Amino acid sequence: MRHACLAIVVIFAALRAAAIEIEDHRFYPALAGDPAEIPLRVVSTADLDVFDPYLRAFQTARPGIAIDYTVVSSADLHRTIGDGAVYDLALSSAMDLQFQLANDGFAQSYRSTATEALPDWARWRDLIFAMSVEPAVVVFSTQRFAGLPVPTTRQELIALLRAHPDLFTGAVGTYDVRTSGLGYLLATQEDRSTDAFWRLSEVMGGLDPQLYCCSGQMIDDVSTGRLALAYNVLGSYAAERLVRESAGQMQILAMRDFANVIIRTAIVPATATRVEAAGALIDMLATLALREGRGTWPLPPLTQTGADAATGFGPIRLGPALMVYLDPLNRRGFLAEWENAMVQR
Amino acid sequence: MRAPSSIGRRLTLLLAGVAALLAALSWAMVTGIARQAAERTQDNVLAASAATIAETLRSDRGEVRLELPYSAFAMLGAISEDRVFYRVAAGDAHLTGYADLPVAAADAPRPGQVSFATGAYRGATVRIASVTRQVLAGDAPVTVTVTVAQTRTGVATIARDLSRLAAIFAVALFVLAVGLSAVATRASLRPLNEIAAAVSRRGPSDLRPIRRAAPAELVSLLVALNRLMDRLGQSLRRSEDFIAEAAHRVRTPLATVRAQAEIALRSADDAAARDRLRGMIRALDESSRSAGQLLDHATVAFRADDLARAPIDLADIVARTAAALEPTATMKDITILRETVQARVAGDPVLLDAALRNVLDNAIKYSPEDTTVTLHVSRAAGTARIAVCDEGPGLDSGPGGDPVDALTERFRRGSNTEGVVGSGLGLTIAREVLEAHGGRLELGPGPEGTGTCVTLVLPSS
């Protein structure tokens, strides 16, 4: 009987686990203190190589806390928190999904002097806190762009793609908005903000675009030369990779006509039990987010986006309007249109 | 019931209470209005949001379609950081949004009409706005209900902030009102205090009616006070009249009896009988003198009320009085010496006569035989004086205090007067007369340290 029960629990756990795809996972044992204590369970969309310095810094400050870090896609993160999975902190770049979680009551409020120092646009109701703001940029391969003019607006990009179908067919990458929450957010915000979005999508659709789940893989393919350009890549990842390994293979392009700036946010899920530790990590992230200058941290601070990325646009506003495109009917309509444009044949 | 300690304090407390009540009322009103205004704002935005969504409803191949407009939620996000829920249902079929969100349904919803409700959803109080619209889906019209709900944190925050502001204003208003009411109370009680001061400044025998401009509320008090003083004055006058009448009636028979006793004395041969008769005559004299003094006292009390102000030379009075008492003095071999200058005063000659007569009478009475009593008239620093100095045993001021006060009490006599008959009224009469004239009586030892000087001091005219 006991075995049967155990089996059922295991099966349920497996089902729950199977519902989301864990991309990466690492356990940081406590540097000091009781090893039997429950670790701080963090679920995040940020890759380990981006976020590892933050966790190590946090453990230096709080050696008694073990950290269990799980990397999932933003859609999976939204689903698993919405299903009531137990995590102490959820970090995501898909601010619309984060907002919906907070709006629907899956986040608990947290307040400290560090979070109160955040500007108004960088938090919402003591439920959502900004960690960094990152522009969506175009990353291109310097090798494959040899001899071509570098476009600075979408109009120029459209013209370039139209003029050189031979160079770009099969060599343009962007998010698959059907699977990537961040890609969907960027696409819908572009739809709202610029008329060129659908024409660009049509043009890209004609060039057999490669669709990706994540920024990291797109950047990988640009750096190897498989892709000539990747559209809508998160600036922080791209910059971080460029500095570290590309040796001039890649270049970042910030569109001058319009650029989406997203806020990477943290929420404390309603299921969290180690709220104090989660709050401490939020405090550290919020304090780092307000630092002067970029420093050695992978993610850019809130203060630098404007000048650094030369976008001139403020970040996407945290607010109920973010939920408009999450509406199933709207989503269905948008995806249908997107598929029409992107996956033509 | 406890007696009120002070009208001023009570009035201030009452006014402060009224101010507190008004402040609390105004605070409650402002709070209520602020809350209403905030709620109405939220209702308007919710209605606009629902209407914006309803406008996108359309029919497509027999199905109800809609596209949530970005502005519908952006406007909700603009007014406050509140959680937003929504739901669109076509008839009973759920189209999109939060399927379990309650609908604010009016009893008979008209298309396009927005109905509101307040309810609980997902652990929070929400304000719900629903709007219905008929959409032709296929061949039958379907009633589509668009519901938008928002939590009320923003409303509560605005209401609380305004309420706090209103509370600060109310307290400030209250403090100001208390200060002003204290000032107002003092100002309105000033006439009362002034009348009280005027009454207490009066002399002991001043029973004239109070003639002051008084506020309407105090007029009745003043009238009552004046009537009381009038009655008191009448009553005093009646008793003085009675005393005067009595004294007068006693004096005449006394004179007759004295005359008879004199005759009997002259015709008596027996030494013992003569002694008895002499004692009798002395007693009769004293009684007659006392009756005279009582009469004088009554006269003073009567005439001082409405004092005559005739020009008088003190030297005349001195001459008159000295002449009147010359016989009495001669009986004791006392010489009356007059040292007079002209000293003019304004006053009642009858009263001044009485005053000086009583003082001089006293001096003669208490002087040993074969001495001199000096009447000295002088002028000094706006005053005219008559000093009556004898060579008698001097004053013994008795235990403690001013000899003038002690000796001028009615029926009070000095402590070294045994063996001399007297009523003790003489100095009282003199003092009352002088005070009625605005002067005073001074008592002191004589110029060489012996005897007594009684000085009548009057303001000179």
Side-chain angles (χ1 to χ4, degrees), chain B residues 169-248:
Chain B
F169 271 117
V171 169
L173 207 67
F174 171 71
V175 169
L176 192 69
V178 168
L180 288 178
S181 62
V183 171
T185 303
R186 198 163 311 147
S188 39
L189 287 180
R190 190 174 304 136
L192 193 63
N193 292 335
E194 281 173 0
I195 287 172
V199 172
S200 63
R201 263 201 309 274
R202 289 195 158 198
S205 58
D206 188 352
L207 291 176
R208 283 172 303 151
I210 301 163
R211 300 198 193 285
R212 292 181 76 88
E217 291 81 359
L218 290 181
V219 165
S220 56
L221 177 69
L222 270 191
V223 167
L225 196 61
N226 284 343
R227 202 172 295 148
L228 176 71
M229 291 208 293
D230 187 39
R231 279 206 303 273
L232 188 63
Q234 277 178 6
S235 152
L236 277 177
R237 264 195 302 281
R238 255 202 308 278
S239 64
E240 301 284 6
D241 285 353
F242 173 76
I243 292 166
E245 185 69 21
H248 185 69

Side-chain angles (χ1 to χ4, degrees), chain B residues 52-91:
Chain B
T52 315
I53 296 171
E55 274 168 18
T56 70
L57 288 168
R58 64 185 189 280
S59 172
D60 185 12
R61 276 168 275 162
E63 272 185 65
V64 177
R65 295 289 169 91
L66 84 150
E67 191 181 329
L68 281 185
Y70 190 80
S71 58
F73 285 1
M75 66 174 85
L76 288 172
I79 56 164
S80 65
E81 287 193 342
D82 268 300
R83 294 160 64 186
V84 172
F85 310 102
Y86 67 100
R87 182 191 178 190
V88 184

Side-chain angles (χ1 to χ4, degrees), chain A residues 32-44:
Chain A
D34 183 7
E37 206 178 3
I38 303 172
L40 177 67
R41 290 147 299 184
V42 182
V43 61
S44 170

Side-chain angles (χ1 to χ4, degrees), chain B residues 29 60 77 85 111 141 156 171 173 262 276 351 379 426 453 457-458:
Chain B
M29 268 171 64
D60 185 12
F85 310 102
V171 169
L173 207 67
E262 289 256 14
R276 274 201 296 280
L351 292 186
R379 286 194 309 263
C453 272
V457 185
L458 286 159

Side-chain angles (χ1 to χ4, degrees), chain B residues 108-121:
Chain B
R110 275 188 294 120
Q113 186 195 347
V114 186
S115 42
F116 296 99
T118 307
Y121 185 66

Side-chain angles (χ1 to χ4, degrees), chain B residues 203-448:
Chain B
S205 58
D206 188 352
L207 291 176
R208 283 172 303 151
I210 301 163
R211 300 198 193 285
R212 292 181 76 88
E217 291 81 359
L218 290 181
V219 165
S220 56
L221 177 69
L222 270 191
V223 167
L225 196 61
N226 284 343
R227 202 172 295 148
L228 176 71
M229 291 208 293
D230 187 39
R231 279 206 303 273
L232 188 63
Q234 277 178 6
S235 152
L236 277 177
R237 264 195 302 281
R238 255 202 308 278
S239 64
E240 301 284 6
D241 285 353
F242 173 76
I243 292 166
E245 185 69 21
H248 185 69
R249 290 198 180 204
V250 163
R251 231 159 42 150
T252 316
L254 278 179
T256 314
V257 173
R258 190 185 189 277
Q260 299 285 343
E262 289 256 14
I263 293 166
L265 178 66
R266 263 182 231 132
S267 58
D269 303 325
D270 182 1
R274 288 172 73 98
D275 269 358
R276 274 201 296 280
L277 279 171
R278 251 184 233 111
M280 202 164 126
I281 287 170
R282 226 177 11 250
L284 282 169
D285 276 350
E286 191 51 45
S287 296
S288 169
R289 190 166 163 274
S290 287
Q293 279 184 332
L294 282 173
L295 201 57
D296 279 349
H297 187 256
T299 309
V300 170
F302 177 72
R303 296 185 73 117
D305 277 351
D306 198 12
L307 193 71
R309 293 279 181 189
I312 305 164
D313 189 351
L314 288 185
D316 293 347
I317 290 180
V318 166
R320 228 173 16 239
T321 311
L325 287 176
E326 196 69 55
T328 321
T330 314
M331 271 179 39
K332 287 180 81 178
D333 287 334
I334 290 171
T335 318
I336 298 174
L337 217 61
R338 287 184 284 142
E339 298 170 359
T340 56
V341 291
Q342 204 181 46
R344 293 206 164 276
V345 296
D348 187 333
V350 178
L351 292 186
L352 289 175
D353 271 351
L356 185 59
R357 187 171 62 240
N358 277 286
V359 172
L360 185 56
D361 185 53
N362 256 3
I364 292 167
K365 193 161 69 175
Y366 293 114
S367 287
E369 294 198 355
D370 201 12
T371 53
T372 308
V373 171
T374 313
L375 293 172
H376 181 85
V377 177
S378 65
R379 286 194 309 263
T383 58
R385 300 162 162 265
I386 306 171
V388 181
C389 298
D390 61 31
E391 294 169 356
L395 285 170
D396 176 12
S397 65
D402 184 1
V404 180
D405 277 341
L407 289 176
T408 53
E409 262 177 57
R410 251 197 269 193
F411 309 118
R412 170 80 179 263
R413 303 180 64 207
S415 52
N416 53 354
T417 55
E418 285 82 3
V420 184
V421 287
S423 64
L425 260 179
L427 286 182
T428 310
I429 291 164
R431 183 186 179 181
E432 280 173 1
V433 168
L434 288 169
E435 283 179 355
H437 284 80
R440 64 182 187 276
L441 194 67
E442 285 177 0
L443 283 178
E448 278 98 38

